[in-house]
Amino acid sequence: MDPFDVSDRNSWYFGPMSRQEATEVLMNERERGVFLVRDSNSIAGDYVLCVREDTKVSNYIINKVQQQDHIVYRIGDQSFDNLPKLLTFYTLHYLDTTPLRRPALKKEEKVIGKFDFVGSDQDDLPFQRGEILTVIRKDEDQWWTARNSSGKIGQIPVPYICQRL
């Protein structure tokens, strides 16, 4: 099995999601060691590493800690300079019953433009009414990150799109 790319944050970081949502995603996976990283719902700025074990999902809090002039990420008694280094460590070491094997699969969400959006900022992703876009991240209530059919990525205004079935 090929190792996953720890530097591809989009593959393993699922952003804000509840413990229940993470459990549902991971229990739909067949193999142990499938994981995702989500935002902590109880401590702002911290993360949770959720891992599919044999018959359950384990949740490990990752504390983001300021140490002198830099930030470290702490899980248990281990500290790391960044999240990719933490994930790399746990591909070689067991958390509980398994090392990390690969990120959980993300369900691709498509949306369709309800109106033309020209965009006014360089981070915006202009689109036409009827154009199909792939949601990458739901950053805020009113602005999401999406990709168009030619692969360009940018911000889209949620009121300008419809959810696709």
Side-chain angles (χ1 to χ4, degrees), residues 22-34:
T23 298
E24 287 172 15
V25 166
L26 291 168
M27 289 307 285
N28 283 327
E29 297 281 356
R30 296 189 188 281
E31 61 199 285
R32 336 179 292 150
V34 177

Side-chain angles (χ1 to χ4, degrees), residues 125-144:
L125 177 63
F127 59 87
Q128 304 293 310
R129 180 175 184 258
E131 187 173 346
I132 297 170
L133 306 167
T134 302
V135 176
I136 294 173
R137 262 186 327 277
K138 296 181 178 181
D139 308 293
E140 302 170 23
D141 286 343
Q142 297 298 309
W143 289 91
W144 293 350

Side-chain angles (χ1 to χ4, degrees), residues 2-19:
D2 291 335
F4 62 93
D5 182 1
V6 294
S7 65
D8 182 8
R9 182 180 173 91
N10 191 49
S11 72
W12 49 261
Y13 177 63
F14 280 57
M17 84 184 322
S18 72
R19 182 183 192 124

Side-chain angles (χ1 to χ4, degrees), residues 6 62 74-75 77 82 86 91 96 98 115 118 137 163:
V6 294
I62 301 171
R74 186 176 299 141
I75 186 169
D77 59 357
N82 56 47
L86 181 151
T91 59
D96 185 10
T98 183
F115 310 105
V118 180
R137 262 186 327 277
Q163 307 288 127

Side-chain angles (χ1 to χ4, degrees), residues 99-154:
L100 301 179
R101 299 202 190 287
R102 67 168 174 82
L105 298 174
K106 287 188 176 181
K107 191 175 82 182
E108 205 168 71
E109 184 177 354
K110 302 270 189 188
V111 295
I112 190 163
K114 212 177 349 184
F115 310 105
D116 289 351
F117 174 63
V118 180
S120 56
D121 191 288
Q122 68 179 23
D123 293 334
D124 290 345
L125 177 63
F127 59 87
Q128 304 293 310
R129 180 175 184 258
E131 187 173 346
I132 297 170
L133 306 167
T134 302
V135 176
I136 294 173
R137 262 186 327 277
K138 296 181 178 181
D139 308 293
E140 302 170 23
D141 286 343
Q142 297 298 309
W143 289 91
W144 293 350
T145 302
R147 180 178 57 244
N148 65 16
S149 60
S150 62
K152 185 168 171 15
I153 294 174

Side-chain angles (χ1 to χ4, degrees), residues 61-72:
I61 190 77
I62 301 171
N63 299 116
K64 189 174 170 182
V65 181
Q66 181 75 41
Q67 284 190 344
Q68 286 92 32
D69 59 345
H70 68 286
I71 291 173
V72 297

